[in-house]
Amino acid sequence: MTLVYPVQSLAAHPPRLSPAYKSTVKRSPSKPLIPMRHTLSELTGPVYGHETVRENDHDLTVQGKGEPIGERIIVHGHVLDEDGRGVPNTLVELWQANACGRYVHVVDQHPAPLDPNFTGAGRAQSDAQGYYRFVTIKPGAYPWGNHHNAWRPAHIHFSVFGHSFVSRLVTQMYFPGDPLFPFDPIFNSVTDKARSRMISSFDLENTKPDWALCYRFNIVLRGRNATPMENK
Amino acid sequence: MQQAKPDGVTPSQTVGPYFAYGLTPNGKYDWNDTFSNNLVTADTSGERIRVEGQVFDGDGAVVPDCMLEIWQADAQGRFSDPQDKRALPNSTFKGFGRIGTDAKGGYAFDTIKPGQVADPDGKPQAPHIVLAVFARGMLLHNYSRIYFDGEAANAADPVLALVPADRRATLIATRQPGGNAVYRFDIHLQGDKETVFFDV
Protein backbone atom coordinates (compact mmCIF):
# COMPACT_ATOMS: atom_id res chain seq x y z
CA MET A 1 0.00 0.00 0.00
CA THR A 2 1.66 3.20 -1.14
CA LEU A 3 -0.88 5.82 -0.13
CA VAL A 4 -0.27 8.55 2.40
CA TYR A 5 -2.91 10.73 3.98
CA PRO A 6 -1.01 13.77 5.24
CA VAL A 7 -1.50 14.54 8.91
CA GLN A 8 -1.14 18.26 8.17
CA SER A 9 -4.70 18.10 6.83
CA LEU A 10 -5.91 17.64 10.40
CA ALA A 11 -4.97 21.24 11.26
CA ALA A 12 -8.31 22.32 9.78
CA HIS A 13 -10.20 20.55 12.53
CA PRO A 14 -11.21 22.17 15.81
CA PRO A 15 -9.30 21.28 18.98
CA ARG A 16 -10.99 18.45 20.82
CA LEU A 17 -10.91 20.49 24.01
CA SER A 18 -12.82 23.69 23.22
CA PRO A 19 -14.03 24.89 26.64
CA ALA A 20 -16.55 27.40 25.27
CA TYR A 21 -18.42 24.32 24.03
CA LYS A 22 -18.96 22.95 27.52
CA SER A 23 -19.52 19.30 26.64
CA THR A 24 -15.95 19.00 25.35
CA VAL A 25 -14.52 19.52 28.84
CA LYS A 26 -15.28 15.99 30.07
CA ARG A 27 -15.25 14.27 26.70
CA SER A 28 -11.90 15.24 25.19
CA PRO A 29 -8.77 13.14 25.77
CA SER A 30 -6.60 14.34 28.67
CA LYS A 31 -3.59 12.35 27.48
CA PRO A 32 -1.68 12.97 24.25
CA LEU A 33 -2.86 10.99 21.24
CA ILE A 34 -0.38 8.41 20.01
CA PRO A 35 0.92 8.98 16.49
CA MET A 36 1.16 5.91 14.29
CA ARG A 37 1.85 5.03 10.69
CA HIS A 38 -1.19 4.13 8.66
CA THR A 39 -1.60 0.45 7.94
CA LEU A 40 -4.01 -1.25 5.59
CA SER A 41 -6.60 -1.01 8.40
CA GLU A 42 -6.57 2.79 8.25
CA LEU A 43 -6.04 3.14 4.48
CA THR A 44 -9.01 1.04 3.49
CA GLY A 45 -12.59 1.93 4.27
CA PRO A 46 -16.15 0.81 3.79
CA VAL A 47 -17.45 0.86 0.23
CA TYR A 48 -21.14 1.06 -0.45
CA GLY A 49 -22.98 0.19 -3.61
CA HIS A 50 -26.05 1.97 -4.88
CA GLU A 51 -28.26 -0.61 -3.16
CA THR A 52 -27.89 1.27 0.12
CA VAL A 53 -29.59 4.40 -1.25
CA ARG A 54 -33.30 4.21 -2.06
CA GLU A 55 -35.04 6.29 -4.71
CA ASN A 56 -36.33 9.05 -2.42
CA ASP A 57 -33.67 9.02 0.25
CA HIS A 58 -32.16 12.25 -1.13
CA ASP A 59 -35.51 14.11 -1.11
CA LEU A 60 -36.63 14.87 2.45
CA THR A 61 -39.79 16.60 1.19
CA VAL A 62 -41.44 13.46 -0.21
CA GLN A 63 -40.80 10.95 2.55
CA GLY A 64 -44.01 11.70 4.49
CA LYS A 65 -47.69 11.54 3.58
CA GLY A 66 -47.78 15.23 2.79
CA GLU A 67 -45.43 18.12 2.20
CA PRO A 68 -43.36 19.34 5.13
CA ILE A 69 -43.78 22.90 6.38
CA GLY A 70 -41.05 25.41 5.70
CA GLU A 71 -38.81 26.77 3.01
CA ARG A 72 -37.99 24.12 0.42
CA ILE A 73 -34.33 24.19 -0.61
CA ILE A 74 -31.96 22.30 -2.85
CA VAL A 75 -28.57 21.50 -1.34
CA HIS A 76 -25.94 20.20 -3.69
CA GLY A 77 -22.21 20.16 -4.06
CA HIS A 78 -19.03 18.36 -4.87
CA VAL A 79 -17.35 15.82 -2.62
CA LEU A 80 -13.68 16.17 -3.42
CA ASP A 81 -10.35 15.67 -1.75
CA GLU A 82 -7.92 18.41 -0.87
CA ASP A 83 -6.01 17.81 -4.12
CA GLY A 84 -9.15 18.67 -6.08
CA ARG A 85 -10.10 15.16 -7.13
CA GLY A 86 -13.80 14.31 -7.07
CA VAL A 87 -14.67 11.46 -4.72
CA PRO A 88 -17.06 9.25 -6.69
CA ASN A 89 -19.70 6.87 -5.36
CA THR A 90 -19.34 7.81 -1.73
CA LEU A 91 -22.17 7.76 0.73
CA VAL A 92 -23.35 11.16 1.98
CA GLU A 93 -25.74 11.08 4.94
CA LEU A 94 -27.47 14.08 6.52
CA TRP A 95 -29.73 14.86 9.44
CA GLN A 96 -31.26 18.11 10.62
CA ALA A 97 -33.92 19.95 12.61
CA ASN A 98 -37.20 20.92 10.96
CA ALA A 99 -38.16 24.44 9.87
CA CYS A 100 -39.09 25.31 13.47
CA GLY A 101 -35.76 24.17 14.85
CA ARG A 102 -36.81 20.85 16.33
CA TYR A 103 -35.45 17.35 15.80
CA VAL A 104 -37.66 14.27 15.87
CA HIS A 105 -35.37 12.82 18.54
CA VAL A 106 -37.22 12.01 21.79
CA VAL A 107 -34.69 13.93 23.86
CA ASP A 108 -35.29 17.18 21.96
CA GLN A 109 -37.79 19.05 24.14
CA HIS A 110 -37.51 22.46 22.47
CA PRO A 111 -41.13 23.71 22.59
CA ALA A 112 -41.45 24.10 18.84
CA PRO A 113 -43.80 22.00 16.71
CA LEU A 114 -42.84 18.65 15.29
CA ASP A 115 -43.73 18.30 11.62
CA PRO A 116 -45.47 14.97 10.91
CA ASN A 117 -44.25 15.16 7.34
CA PHE A 118 -40.63 15.87 8.07
CA THR A 119 -38.21 13.56 9.78
CA GLY A 120 -34.99 15.24 8.80
CA ALA A 121 -32.87 12.33 7.59
CA GLY A 122 -31.49 11.85 4.11
CA ARG A 123 -28.94 9.87 2.19
CA ALA A 124 -27.34 10.17 -1.23
CA GLN A 125 -24.42 8.79 -3.13
CA SER A 126 -22.01 11.03 -4.97
CA ASP A 127 -21.99 10.36 -8.70
CA ALA A 128 -19.08 9.26 -10.86
CA GLN A 129 -17.53 12.75 -10.60
CA GLY A 130 -18.28 13.18 -6.90
CA TYR A 131 -21.40 15.39 -7.10
CA TYR A 132 -24.37 14.94 -4.77
CA ARG A 133 -27.80 16.57 -4.44
CA PHE A 134 -30.53 16.78 -1.80
CA VAL A 135 -33.95 18.42 -1.60
CA THR A 136 -34.94 19.42 1.91
CA ILE A 137 -36.39 22.12 4.15
CA LYS A 138 -34.29 24.94 5.55
CA PRO A 139 -33.75 24.10 9.22
CA GLY A 140 -34.55 26.60 11.97
CA ALA A 141 -32.27 27.85 14.73
CA TYR A 142 -32.82 26.31 18.16
CA PRO A 143 -31.76 26.89 21.77
CA TRP A 144 -29.32 24.42 23.32
CA GLY A 145 -28.47 25.44 26.86
CA ASN A 146 -24.70 25.70 26.53
CA HIS A 147 -24.74 29.23 27.93
CA HIS A 148 -27.19 32.07 28.49
CA ASN A 149 -29.28 32.64 25.36
CA ALA A 150 -27.38 29.98 23.40
CA TRP A 151 -28.91 29.28 19.98
CA ARG A 152 -27.38 27.13 17.28
CA PRO A 153 -27.14 28.78 13.87
CA ALA A 154 -29.25 26.91 11.32
CA HIS A 155 -27.24 23.92 10.17
CA ILE A 156 -27.43 20.53 8.47
CA HIS A 157 -25.26 17.68 9.75
CA PHE A 158 -23.32 15.81 7.06
CA SER A 159 -21.56 12.47 7.31
CA VAL A 160 -19.20 11.37 4.52
CA PHE A 161 -16.93 8.36 4.13
CA GLY A 162 -14.42 8.89 1.31
CA HIS A 163 -12.00 6.12 0.40
CA SER A 164 -10.41 5.28 3.72
CA PHE A 165 -11.29 5.09 7.37
CA VAL A 166 -9.01 8.08 8.06
CA SER A 167 -10.86 10.29 5.59
CA ARG A 168 -14.12 9.82 7.54
CA LEU A 169 -15.77 13.20 8.15
CA VAL A 170 -18.76 14.43 10.11
CA THR A 171 -19.37 18.13 9.69
CA GLN A 172 -22.13 20.75 9.66
CA MET A 173 -23.26 22.91 6.78
CA TYR A 174 -24.23 26.45 7.72
CA PHE A 175 -26.13 29.10 5.76
CA PRO A 176 -24.56 32.34 4.53
CA GLY A 177 -25.01 35.45 6.63
CA ASP A 178 -26.40 33.80 9.74
CA PRO A 179 -26.56 36.40 12.56
CA LEU A 180 -25.83 33.69 15.15
CA PHE A 181 -22.31 32.93 13.89
CA PRO A 182 -20.44 35.24 16.30
CA PHE A 183 -22.13 33.65 19.32
CA ASP A 184 -21.86 29.94 18.53
CA PRO A 185 -18.96 28.07 20.18
CA ILE A 186 -19.29 25.03 17.92
CA PHE A 187 -18.99 27.09 14.74
CA ASN A 188 -16.23 29.19 16.33
CA SER A 189 -14.22 26.18 17.54
CA VAL A 190 -12.74 26.18 14.04
CA THR A 191 -10.01 28.64 12.99
CA ASP A 192 -11.02 31.82 11.16
CA LYS A 193 -9.39 30.56 7.99
CA ALA A 194 -11.22 27.24 7.88
CA ARG A 195 -14.61 28.42 9.16
CA SER A 196 -15.80 29.65 5.77
CA ARG A 197 -15.48 26.11 4.39
CA MET A 198 -18.50 25.12 6.50
CA ILE A 199 -20.74 27.86 5.07
CA SER A 200 -22.73 27.01 1.97
CA SER A 201 -23.07 29.58 -0.80
CA PHE A 202 -26.35 30.75 -2.27
CA ASP A 203 -26.61 29.38 -5.81
CA LEU A 204 -28.97 31.43 -7.98
CA GLU A 205 -27.95 29.61 -11.13
CA ASN A 206 -29.31 26.32 -9.80
CA THR A 207 -32.25 27.84 -7.95
CA LYS A 208 -35.45 26.48 -9.50
CA PRO A 209 -37.87 29.23 -10.57
CA ASP A 210 -41.14 29.20 -8.62
CA TRP A 211 -39.99 26.19 -6.60
CA ALA A 212 -36.86 26.29 -4.40
CA LEU A 213 -33.74 28.26 -3.55
CA CYS A 214 -30.48 26.43 -3.99
CA TYR A 215 -27.35 26.27 -1.83
CA ARG A 216 -24.00 24.84 -2.83
CA PHE A 217 -21.89 23.01 -0.25
CA ASN A 218 -18.66 21.42 -1.35
CA ILE A 219 -17.17 18.91 1.07
CA VAL A 220 -13.40 18.51 1.03
CA LEU A 221 -11.90 15.29 2.43
CA ARG A 222 -8.29 14.49 3.16
CA GLY A 223 -6.23 13.91 0.05
CA ARG A 224 -3.94 11.01 -0.54
CA ASN A 225 -0.53 11.05 -2.10
CA ALA A 226 0.31 8.10 -4.26
CA THR A 227 3.88 7.84 -3.02
CA PRO A 228 5.00 7.76 0.60
CA MET A 229 6.66 11.08 1.36
CA GLU A 230 9.48 9.50 3.33
CA ASN A 231 10.69 7.85 0.13
CA LYS A 232 11.16 11.13 -1.71
CA MET B 1 -11.69 14.61 -12.29
CA GLN B 2 -9.21 17.24 -11.17
CA GLN B 3 -10.33 20.72 -10.19
CA ALA B 4 -8.54 23.70 -8.76
CA LYS B 5 -6.98 22.67 -5.47
CA PRO B 6 -9.24 23.60 -2.54
CA ASP B 7 -7.65 25.57 0.28
CA GLY B 8 -7.98 22.76 2.79
CA VAL B 9 -10.27 20.10 4.16
CA THR B 10 -13.75 20.79 5.52
CA PRO B 11 -13.50 21.08 9.31
CA SER B 12 -15.06 18.46 11.54
CA GLN B 13 -18.02 19.24 13.80
CA THR B 14 -19.84 17.24 16.46
CA VAL B 15 -22.53 14.70 15.56
CA GLY B 16 -24.57 16.33 18.34
CA PRO B 17 -27.01 14.39 20.51
CA TYR B 18 -29.61 13.91 17.77
CA PHE B 19 -27.72 11.82 15.22
CA ALA B 20 -29.93 8.78 15.83
CA TYR B 21 -32.52 9.53 13.20
CA GLY B 22 -30.00 9.98 10.42
CA LEU B 23 -27.37 7.48 11.43
CA THR B 24 -28.51 4.80 13.88
CA PRO B 25 -32.29 4.37 13.77
CA ASN B 26 -32.17 0.66 14.81
CA GLY B 27 -35.93 0.40 14.46
CA LYS B 28 -36.66 3.41 16.66
CA TYR B 29 -37.62 5.59 13.73
CA ASP B 30 -39.18 4.98 10.35
CA TRP B 31 -35.94 5.12 8.39
CA ASN B 32 -34.04 2.22 6.99
CA ASP B 33 -30.83 1.02 8.59
CA THR B 34 -28.03 1.00 6.11
CA PHE B 35 -25.66 -0.32 8.74
CA SER B 36 -26.09 -2.07 12.03
CA ASN B 37 -24.11 -3.55 14.86
CA ASN B 38 -24.44 -7.04 13.39
CA LEU B 39 -21.77 -7.57 10.75
CA VAL B 40 -22.36 -11.28 10.36
CA THR B 41 -24.34 -12.98 7.62
CA ALA B 42 -25.11 -16.69 7.27
CA ASP B 43 -22.29 -17.08 4.75
CA THR B 44 -19.61 -15.33 6.80
CA SER B 45 -16.74 -17.60 7.70
CA GLY B 46 -14.75 -17.14 10.88
CA GLU B 47 -15.24 -17.30 14.62
CA ARG B 48 -18.37 -15.48 15.76
CA ILE B 49 -17.64 -13.02 18.53
CA ARG B 50 -19.51 -10.32 20.39
CA VAL B 51 -17.70 -7.17 21.51
CA GLU B 52 -19.60 -5.20 24.13
CA GLY B 53 -19.00 -2.51 26.69
CA GLN B 54 -19.91 0.93 27.91
CA VAL B 55 -18.68 4.43 27.19
CA PHE B 56 -17.72 6.76 30.05
CA ASP B 57 -16.76 10.44 30.27
CA GLY B 58 -14.12 12.12 32.43
CA ASP B 59 -16.37 11.99 35.49
CA GLY B 60 -17.01 8.27 35.01
CA ALA B 61 -20.58 9.05 33.93
CA VAL B 62 -22.00 6.91 31.14
CA VAL B 63 -22.28 8.52 27.71
CA PRO B 64 -25.73 7.74 26.31
CA ASP B 65 -25.34 9.82 23.15
CA CYS B 66 -22.26 8.24 21.66
CA MET B 67 -21.95 6.70 18.21
CA LEU B 68 -19.39 4.00 17.53
CA GLU B 69 -18.17 2.77 14.17
CA ILE B 70 -15.92 -0.22 13.56
CA TRP B 71 -13.96 -1.35 10.51
CA GLN B 72 -12.17 -4.64 10.31
CA ALA B 73 -10.72 -7.37 8.14
CA ASP B 74 -12.38 -10.71 7.60
CA ALA B 75 -11.16 -13.92 9.24
CA GLN B 76 -8.43 -14.23 6.60
CA GLY B 77 -7.19 -10.69 7.21
CA ARG B 78 -8.69 -9.19 4.05
CA PHE B 79 -10.65 -5.98 3.79
CA SER B 80 -13.80 -5.62 1.73
CA ASP B 81 -12.29 -2.74 -0.21
CA PRO B 82 -10.96 -2.68 -3.78
CA GLN B 83 -7.76 -1.13 -2.42
CA ASP B 84 -7.03 -4.43 -0.72
CA LYS B 85 -5.95 -6.38 -3.78
CA ARG B 86 -6.26 -9.63 -1.86
CA ALA B 87 -9.94 -9.10 -1.13
CA LEU B 88 -12.41 -11.52 -2.54
CA PRO B 89 -14.85 -9.54 -4.71
CA ASN B 90 -17.77 -11.62 -3.52
CA SER B 91 -16.89 -11.57 0.15
CA THR B 92 -20.08 -11.53 2.18
CA PHE B 93 -18.32 -9.87 5.07
CA LYS B 94 -18.44 -6.09 4.69
CA GLY B 95 -16.45 -5.32 7.83
CA PHE B 96 -18.24 -2.11 8.84
CA GLY B 97 -20.55 -1.66 11.82
CA ARG B 98 -22.25 1.25 13.54
CA ILE B 99 -24.27 1.67 16.73
CA GLY B 100 -25.44 4.37 19.11
CA THR B 101 -25.02 3.79 22.84
CA ASP B 102 -28.07 3.10 25.01
CA ALA B 103 -29.20 4.91 28.17
CA LYS B 104 -26.47 3.15 30.15
CA GLY B 105 -23.76 4.03 27.64
CA GLY B 106 -23.83 0.42 26.46
CA TYR B 107 -23.12 -1.01 23.04
CA ALA B 108 -22.47 -4.38 21.41
CA PHE B 109 -21.22 -5.56 18.04
CA ASP B 110 -21.79 -9.03 16.67
CA THR B 111 -18.97 -9.82 14.31
CA ILE B 112 -16.17 -12.27 13.61
CA LYS B 113 -12.67 -12.42 14.95
CA PRO B 114 -10.52 -10.62 12.36
CA GLY B 115 -7.46 -12.23 10.84
CA GLN B 116 -4.01 -10.69 10.78
CA VAL B 117 -3.26 -7.66 8.60
CA ALA B 118 0.23 -6.61 7.57
CA ASP B 119 1.79 -3.34 8.73
CA PRO B 120 3.54 -1.05 6.18
CA ASP B 121 6.72 -3.14 6.50
CA GLY B 122 4.85 -6.33 5.74
CA LYS B 123 4.95 -7.62 9.31
CA PRO B 124 1.74 -9.13 10.63
CA GLN B 125 -0.19 -7.08 13.15
CA ALA B 126 -2.16 -8.81 15.87
CA PRO B 127 -5.88 -9.24 15.14
CA HIS B 128 -7.61 -5.92 15.76
CA ILE B 129 -10.69 -3.87 14.95
CA VAL B 130 -10.39 -0.17 14.12
CA LEU B 131 -12.78 1.99 16.12
CA ALA B 132 -14.08 5.54 15.65
CA VAL B 133 -15.85 7.25 18.56
CA PHE B 134 -18.31 10.09 17.93
CA ALA B 135 -20.49 11.94 20.44
CA ARG B 136 -22.00 15.21 21.51
CA GLY B 137 -19.10 17.17 22.96
CA MET B 138 -16.64 15.65 20.50
CA LEU B 139 -15.77 18.08 17.75
CA LEU B 140 -13.60 15.47 16.05
CA HIS B 141 -14.05 11.74 16.37
CA ASN B 142 -11.40 9.69 18.15
CA TYR B 143 -9.68 6.69 16.60
CA SER B 144 -8.80 3.66 18.68
CA ARG B 145 -8.21 -0.05 18.22
CA ILE B 146 -9.74 -3.12 19.80
CA TYR B 147 -7.31 -5.99 20.40
CA PHE B 148 -8.13 -9.33 22.03
CA ASP B 149 -6.72 -10.77 25.21
CA GLY B 150 -5.12 -14.18 25.12
CA GLU B 151 -3.73 -13.40 21.66
CA ALA B 152 -0.07 -14.40 21.39
CA ALA B 153 0.46 -11.97 18.49
CA ASN B 154 -0.22 -8.97 20.76
CA ALA B 155 3.33 -9.20 22.12
CA ALA B 156 4.83 -8.42 18.70
CA ASP B 157 2.21 -5.99 17.42
CA PRO B 158 3.92 -2.85 16.08
CA VAL B 159 1.08 -0.49 17.01
CA LEU B 160 0.61 -1.81 20.55
CA ALA B 161 4.37 -1.40 20.94
CA LEU B 162 3.94 2.38 20.45
CA VAL B 163 1.67 2.54 23.48
CA PRO B 164 3.16 2.97 26.97
CA ALA B 165 2.99 -0.41 28.71
CA ASP B 166 0.79 0.86 31.51
CA ARG B 167 -1.88 2.01 29.04
CA ARG B 168 -1.89 -0.99 26.70
CA ALA B 169 -4.65 -2.76 28.61
CA THR B 170 -7.09 -0.03 27.56
CA LEU B 171 -6.86 -1.41 24.00
CA ILE B 172 -7.42 -5.06 24.87
CA ALA B 173 -10.91 -6.53 25.01
CA THR B 174 -11.25 -9.09 27.78
CA ARG B 175 -12.84 -12.46 27.16
CA GLN B 176 -15.84 -12.99 29.41
CA PRO B 177 -16.46 -16.29 31.20
CA GLY B 178 -18.85 -18.67 29.47
CA GLY B 179 -19.10 -20.68 26.31
CA ASN B 180 -19.78 -17.86 23.88
CA ALA B 181 -16.97 -15.67 22.64
CA VAL B 182 -17.95 -12.41 24.30
CA TYR B 183 -15.32 -9.73 24.78
CA ARG B 184 -15.70 -6.70 27.04
CA PHE B 185 -14.26 -3.40 25.79
CA ASP B 186 -15.11 -0.28 27.79
CA ILE B 187 -14.26 3.13 26.38
CA HIS B 188 -13.15 5.94 28.68
CA LEU B 189 -13.09 9.26 26.84
CA GLN B 190 -10.93 10.91 29.48
CA GLY B 191 -9.20 10.44 32.83
CA ASP B 192 -7.14 7.83 34.70
CA LYS B 193 -8.57 4.95 32.71
CA GLU B 194 -8.61 6.88 29.45
CA THR B 195 -8.66 4.67 26.37
CA VAL B 196 -5.66 5.13 24.11
CA PHE B 197 -6.60 7.21 21.08
CA PHE B 198 -4.39 7.44 18.02
CA ASP B 199 -3.34 10.44 15.99
CA VAL B 200 -3.95 9.20 12.49
Side-chain angles (χ1 to χ4, degrees):
Chain A
M1 180 59 59
T2 53
L3 292 175
V4 167
Y5 285 80
V7 290
Q8 300 92 300
S9 314
L10 303 175
H13 298 312
R16 288 178 169 85
L17 177 60
S18 298
Y21 172 20
K22 284 183 181 167
S23 298
T24 69
V25 174
K26 294 294 182 184
R27 293 184 169 197
S28 52
S30 59
K31 298 179 167 64
L33 303 194
I34 298 193
M36 60 170 282
R37 285 197 296 168
H38 295 159
T39 74
L40 204 53
S41 303
E42 289 75 36
L43 294 173
T44 52
V47 179
Y48 302 100
H50 286 276
E51 71 277 3
T52 59
V53 179
R54 300 173 303 183
E55 189 184 351
N56 290 328
D57 283 357
H58 76 287
D59 188 342
L60 286 73
T61 67
V62 299
Q63 293 167 358
K65 288 193 174 72
E67 283 213 50
I69 302 297
E71 181 188 341
R72 187 189 303 115
I73 57 172
I74 299 162
V75 176
H76 73 148
H78 199 187
V79 181
L80 64 170
D81 69 21
E82 61 189 308
D83 299 311
R85 293 173 290 223
V87 181
N89 308 317
T90 191
L91 186 70
V92 181
E93 298 164 285
L94 65 73
W95 68 103
Q96 62 169 92
N98 68 23
C100 303
R102 185 159 176 188
Y103 290 89
V104 289
H105 196 284
V106 287
V107 173
D108 187 356
Q109 294 300 310
H110 174 38
L114 281 168
D115 183 340
N117 294 315
F118 188 75
T119 47
R123 186 182 294 144
Q125 190 150 8
S126 64
D127 68 15
Q129 283 77 44
Y131 291 95
Y132 74 90
R133 181 176 181 273
F134 288 97
V135 179
T136 185
I137 295 292
K138 190 171 182 185
Y142 58 84
W144 63 300
N146 183 72
H147 54 277
H148 174 65
N149 225 355
W151 294 76
R152 292 298 329 277
H155 63 277
I156 298 176
H157 297 263
F158 274 81
S159 157
V160 190
F161 281 85
H163 288 309
S164 75
F165 209 56
V166 294
S167 59
R168 181 90 178 87
L169 177 73
V170 170
T171 188
Q172 296 178 22
M173 179 199 111
Y174 298 92
F175 291 86
D178 196 312
L180 291 167
F181 285 154
F183 313 105
D184 182 55
I186 293 179
F187 176 74
N188 288 300
S189 64
V190 172
T191 61
D192 292 350
K193 184 170 174 282
R195 218 172 279 152
S196 60
R197 297 178 211 149
M198 303 187 295
I199 306 173
S200 56
S201 56
F202 173 60
D203 181 355
L204 183 64
E205 189 186 339
N206 289 294
T207 284
K208 273 200 165 180
D210 307 320
W211 196 70
L213 297 184
C214 181
Y215 293 87
R216 184 187 299 277
F217 183 56
N218 290 346
I219 299 167
V220 184
L221 305 177
R222 281 170 88 173
R224 45 186 176 163
N225 299 328
T227 310
M229 284 179 289
E230 56 262 40
N231 287 358
K232 281 183 179 170
Chain B
M1 71 181 275
Q2 191 96 15
Q3 288 208 329
K5 208 169 171 176
D7 64 355
V9 302
T10 306
S12 174
Q13 297 272 269
T14 171
V15 295
Y18 304 135
F19 60 81
Y21 192 86
L23 298 180
T24 62
N26 294 316
K28 273 190 291 186
Y29 301 107
D30 181 25
W31 176 246
N32 65 320
D33 288 310
T34 299
F35 322 108
S36 77
N37 61 330
N38 185 354
L39 287 70
V40 180
T41 64
D43 299 331
T44 306
S45 61
E47 182 194 1
R48 263 68 170 164
I49 61 169
R50 168 168 273 223
V51 179
E52 63 183 24
Q54 286 171 284
V55 184
F56 301 93
D57 71 9
D59 287 330
V62 299
V63 179
D65 47 13
C66 186
M67 181 179 84
L68 304 174
E69 290 183 346
I70 59 170
W71 172 240
Q72 67 167 95
D74 68 12
Q76 285 74 45
R78 298 168 302 201
F79 287 98
S80 178
D81 179 324
Q83 294 174 84
D84 186 345
K85 302 304 181 199
R86 305 160 305 146
L88 294 178
N90 295 320
S91 172
T92 57
F93 184 70
K94 297 298 183 195
F96 180 78
R98 179 192 277 174
I99 190 174
T101 52
D102 61 23
K104 293 176 178 169
Y107 76 92
F109 286 104
D110 290 305
T111 183
I112 53 161
K113 182 91 171 280
Q116 291 192 277
V117 174
D119 82 350
D121 298 325
K123 294 180 189 149
Q125 303 178 75
H128 63 273
I129 293 172
V130 181
L131 173 71
V133 183
F134 302 77
R136 171 179 65 83
M138 295 178 67
L139 288 161
L140 176 59
H141 53 282
N142 286 345
Y143 287 107
S144 188
R145 283 184 167 208
I146 302 170
Y147 287 87
F148 302 91
D149 72 356
E151 189 66 53
N154 287 346
D157 184 80
V159 174
L160 273 179
L162 299 170
V163 177
D166 63 344
R167 297 190 65 202
R168 249 170 245 166
T170 72
L171 296 178
I172 297 174
T174 52
R175 177 83 180 241
Q176 302 299 288
N180 297 326
V182 176
Y183 289 86
R184 173 99 189 171
F185 188 82
D186 287 338
I187 299 163
H188 294 267
L189 299 180
Q190 191 185 81
D192 292 344
K193 292 191 267 184
E194 186 173 307
T195 302
V196 166
F197 299 112
F198 292 99
D199 194 6
V200 295

